[in-house]
Amino acid sequence: MRYFYSLTDFKDYRLHSQRLLGLTLWAINASAAVMLLVDLIFGLQSLNEKLLTGAVIGSLFITLLYTRQVNSFWVSQAVIFLIYFTSEAHLFFNSEYFPTTIYWLPFTVLIALITLGLRAAVGWLLIIILTHLANGYYLYHRYGLSYNVQVIVSSYLVSGLLFFGIFFVGIILLYKLLGDAYSITEQRKEELELLKNQIQESKARLEYYQEQLIALTHQPELFEWSPEVFYAYLTKVAAETLQITRVSVWNLNEQQDCLQREYLFCREKVDNLTTVCRKNAQPYFEALLSQPYISAPDARRHQNTSCFNEHYFEPLNIYSLLDCPILEEGKPIGVICYEQQHTFRQWRTEDILFAQSLAGLIAIYRKNRRVRELIEELKQANLQLIDKTHQVEIMNEELNTLNEKLQTINESLEQRVVERTRQLEIQNEQLRGYAFINAHVLRAPLARIRGLLYLMTHDPNAANDWELIHLLIKEANELDAITTKISDILYDGTNLTREDIQKMLAEKAATSNQQNENK
């Protein structure tokens, strides 16, 4: 049952083509012309000359429409309708010969199948069946259940040959249709095989590129490398993977009008071009800022890169170029440039994907590097903050110590004032004692010494008076004793009190009395 269903499950493949439609029109024109010519020569009564003439003119007109590139659908429909109308018209002009021409109607289905496909052929088959039933109804009402048909042997033979010839032409057209379908199938098969090989090749290349990217990203501490080491390794991997001779990395300034080369990997001589300004390469900068990449297999003729011919491409023998912008938040911040020297290079899709992946990796490296720099700055700022905090803590401790001392000083200030006042009172008392000593003890001997000196200086004879001299010596010794006594008291660290003074006066009086008694 499933096998039967598969046989009846037809699919409209629409195998028609413009060339096959042209061959069909040529075959119809030739068949109509031959039928008209045979009818004129042999006088076939089964065909109508006027109808054949109209068919020839109609087919020529349809062919003219075809040459004017009118829609092939309408041209095919016009051809089918012309065959249908010519065959059906013979019923009304030559009814007695119609049974011999009715077999021309199925050609409409064949032409529909060849030019329009299965669905159109099925539609015209239904039209032919309905037309056949309508013709039978017409003949029944005109002639009844039966009517006489005239058959002329010559007409029968010639018409049969024409029918077989036209039928053979239809078979040839159908075979041509099948042959074209087979050719198209083989061509598609070859294209599919070629596409399959290209897909396999692209898959293998993508897998290779993926392995290189994985190996690159798995390098230990890749994003902690210095820029020079990172770019040297990345450009070398890019050149070896893509099998090219030059790879360079460029930085774009904030104004986006100048490119500065940061690193160059080159297998040959190194050039001196390290800066590219927008004023000298306007088309290139416009493409760089607006396109996801610049692919120039023929860089010297490409509209965006031909501006580098004289000073860059020609001296360095560069023929092909592929540039991918390095993006940060959708904004170009640089470009990685892949260049092929000495030969042209057709950049494949997988090449571009690999190149863009490396550009993205550079963007990640730069962003990671800035993040690490910010983290380092934050660490330094944090250390400074910790140091300042420590200093503030030390200052707070010092302030607290000073505050405690100040509180202690404030608490003992009153006591110190009392002590200081008492000391001042003692000092004042000592000063009064000194004044008393000066007035009563020291001044008396000093006054006597001055009196004796006055006598000695005014009386010429007094200089030889030994009594005066002995008195002067006595008074000087007394004064020296008093001062020595005061010095001893002060040297002992004790205060000179009234009692000390009275004692000194008493000792002095006793000494004086003893001297007087000795005299």
Side-chain angles (χ1 to χ4, degrees):
M1 188 68 180
R2 182 179 300 177
Y3 176 74
F4 176 76
Y5 177 76
S6 64
L7 292 177
T8 58
D9 185 19
F10 295 104
K11 182 179 180 180
D12 191 0
Y13 292 98
R14 298 180 179 272
L15 299 177
H16 57 279
S17 63
Q18 289 291 331
R19 186 178 65 172
L20 188 60
L21 179 59
L23 292 175
T24 302
L25 290 174
W26 176 85
I28 292 174
N29 286 324
S31 300
V34 169
M35 292 173 64
L36 178 60
L37 183 62
V38 169
D39 187 67
L40 292 175
I41 295 174
F42 296 98
L44 301 178
Q45 297 182 4
S46 59
L47 300 176
N48 189 283
E49 296 178 0
K50 295 180 180 180
L51 292 177
L52 290 177
T53 303
V56 171
I57 295 173
S59 63
L60 292 174
F61 179 74
I62 294 172
T63 303
L64 180 62
L65 294 178
Y66 170 78
T67 58
R68 295 299 178 89
Q69 297 183 350
V70 178
N71 192 307
S72 60
F73 173 80
W74 297 112
V75 172
S76 300
Q77 291 288 10
V79 170
I80 297 169
F81 183 77
L82 177 64
I83 298 173
Y84 172 78
F85 176 78
T86 303
S87 301
E88 185 64 19
H90 280 80
L91 174 65
F92 302 99
F93 288 95
N94 294 341
S95 298
E96 61 276 13
Y97 299 106
F98 182 70
T100 61
T101 60
I102 192 174
Y103 301 104
W104 294 97
L105 287 175
F107 278 102
T108 57
V109 179
L110 180 62
I111 299 301
L113 178 63
I114 294 173
T115 59
L116 294 177
L118 181 61
R119 184 175 299 179
V122 172
W124 276 102
L125 178 61
L126 294 176
I127 293 174
I128 295 302
I129 294 173
L130 294 176
T131 300
H132 182 69
L133 296 176
N135 291 340
Y137 181 77
Y138 169 76
L139 293 174
Y140 173 75
H141 278 280
R142 182 174 181 179
Y143 298 105
L145 294 176
S146 62
Y147 72 100
N148 297 324
V149 177
Q150 296 182 4
V151 178
I152 302 174
V153 177
S154 59
S155 297
Y156 167 76
L157 293 175
V158 175
S159 299
L161 292 175
L162 288 175
F163 179 81
F164 293 145
I166 295 174
F167 183 78
F168 179 74
V169 171
I171 296 298
I172 294 298
L173 291 175
L174 185 59
Y175 178 80
K176 180 62 177 175
L177 175 63
L178 295 175
D180 289 347
Y182 179 78
S183 299
I184 293 173
T185 302
E186 290 296 319
Q187 182 179 358
R188 295 287 175 83
K189 184 178 179 180
E190 292 177 358
E191 292 175 355
L192 288 175
E193 188 67 23
L194 179 61
L195 182 60
K196 179 182 178 181
N197 294 334
Q198 292 178 352
I199 292 175
Q200 291 178 349
E201 183 180 356
S202 298
K203 181 181 178 181
R205 188 177 293 106
L206 284 174
E207 291 177 350
Y208 173 67
Y209 289 165
Q210 185 179 14
E211 292 175 357
Q212 296 300 317
L213 287 174
I214 293 174
L216 179 62
T217 55
H218 282 184
Q219 288 295 322
E221 301 179 353
L222 173 67
F223 294 107
E224 297 181 4
W225 291 354
S226 65
E228 183 177 357
V229 175
F230 175 80
Y231 291 131
Y233 184 77
L234 183 138
T235 52
K236 181 180 179 181
V237 171
E240 292 176 352
T241 303
L242 294 174
Q243 297 181 356
I244 56 179
T245 53
R246 288 173 60 93
V247 181
S248 56
V249 179
W250 301 71
N251 291 328
L252 182 64
N253 63 354
E254 294 182 358
Q255 293 75 23
Q256 296 185 340
D257 59 0
C258 184
L259 283 169
Q260 186 74 30
R261 190 169 70 190
E262 184 168 357
Y263 190 84
L264 169 66
F265 174 85
C266 183
R267 300 183 186 277
E268 300 181 3
K269 65 178 181 179
V270 178
D271 61 288
N272 297 323
L273 181 63
T274 58
T275 303
V276 177
C277 297
R278 185 166 188 168
K279 62 181 180 180
N280 300 325
Q282 186 69 24
Y284 175 79
F285 273 83
E286 292 179 355
L288 180 65
L289 298 176
S290 61
Q291 298 179 11
Y293 59 88
I294 300 176
S295 177
D298 188 355
R300 301 186 181 187
R301 296 184 180 180
H302 196 276
Q303 58 181 356
N304 297 326
T305 59
S306 59
C307 52
F308 299 116
N309 285 349
E310 183 177 355
H311 302 290
Y312 190 60
F313 292 156
E314 293 178 358
L316 298 175
N317 291 324
I318 296 175
Y319 286 86
S320 299
L321 177 141
L322 174 62
D323 283 5
C324 295
I326 302 170
L327 303 178
E328 184 178 275
E329 298 179 356
K331 179 182 177 181
I333 59 172
V335 61
I336 180 170
C337 183
Y338 309 87
E339 297 163 341
Q340 177 66 39
Q341 295 175 294
H342 308 297
T343 59
F344 291 100
R345 172 70 176 267
Q346 188 68 36
W347 305 106
R348 299 182 178 89
T349 303
E350 50 269 24
D351 298 337
I352 297 173
L353 291 175
F354 178 75
Q356 289 179 323
S357 299
L358 293 182
L361 187 62
I362 293 175
I364 295 174
Y365 171 79
R366 292 187 176 183
K367 188 173 183 179
N368 183 272
R369 183 173 179 82
R370 279 194 294 273
V371 170
R372 287 191 288 108
E373 290 175 353
L374 290 175
I375 291 175
E376 187 64 26
E377 291 178 0
L378 289 175
K379 286 182 179 179
Q380 295 297 328
N382 190 30
L383 292 176
Q384 294 177 0
L385 181 60
I386 292 174
D387 184 56
K388 290 182 179 179
T389 303
H390 182 66
Q391 293 177 2
V392 170
E393 290 177 354
I394 295 175
M395 294 176 64
N396 287 334
E397 292 178 358
E398 293 177 353
L399 289 175
N400 291 332
T401 302
L402 292 175
N403 189 27
E404 291 176 357
K405 291 182 179 180
L406 182 61
Q407 290 178 356
T408 303
I409 292 172
N410 289 333
E411 292 175 355
S412 61
L413 181 61
E414 185 176 355
Q415 182 179 358
R416 294 177 64 183
V417 170
V418 173
E419 292 179 355
R420 184 63 177 170
T421 302
R422 186 173 61 81
Q423 292 176 359
L424 289 175
E425 290 177 352
I426 293 172
Q427 290 177 358
N428 289 333
E429 184 66 25
Q430 289 179 348
L431 289 175
R432 285 193 295 270
Y434 293 152
F436 181 81
I437 291 172
N438 183 54
H440 296 86
V441 179
L442 294 177
R443 192 170 183 81
L446 182 62
R448 288 193 293 268
I449 291 172
R450 291 182 65 186
L452 291 173
L453 291 174
Y454 180 78
L455 289 175
M456 294 176 70
T457 55
H458 288 81
D459 187 0
N461 296 319
N464 297 318
D465 191 351
W466 287 100
E467 185 178 359
L468 291 175
I469 294 173
H470 287 293
L471 289 174
L472 180 61
I473 293 172
K474 176 183 177 182
E475 294 298 331
N477 291 331
E478 183 180 355
L479 180 60
D480 181 66
I482 293 172
T483 55
T484 301
K485 182 65 174 179
I486 294 173
S487 298
D488 292 339
I489 293 173
L490 294 177
Y491 183 77
D492 293 337
T494 59
N495 293 325
L496 188 63
T497 62
R498 288 276 185 176
E499 289 76 10
D500 296 329
I501 297 173
Q502 294 297 332
K503 184 177 180 181
M504 291 174 62
L505 291 176
E507 291 178 353
K508 178 181 178 183
T511 302
S512 298
N513 292 330
Q514 185 177 2
Q515 290 176 357
N516 291 330
E517 290 178 355
N518 293 329
K519 289 180 178 183

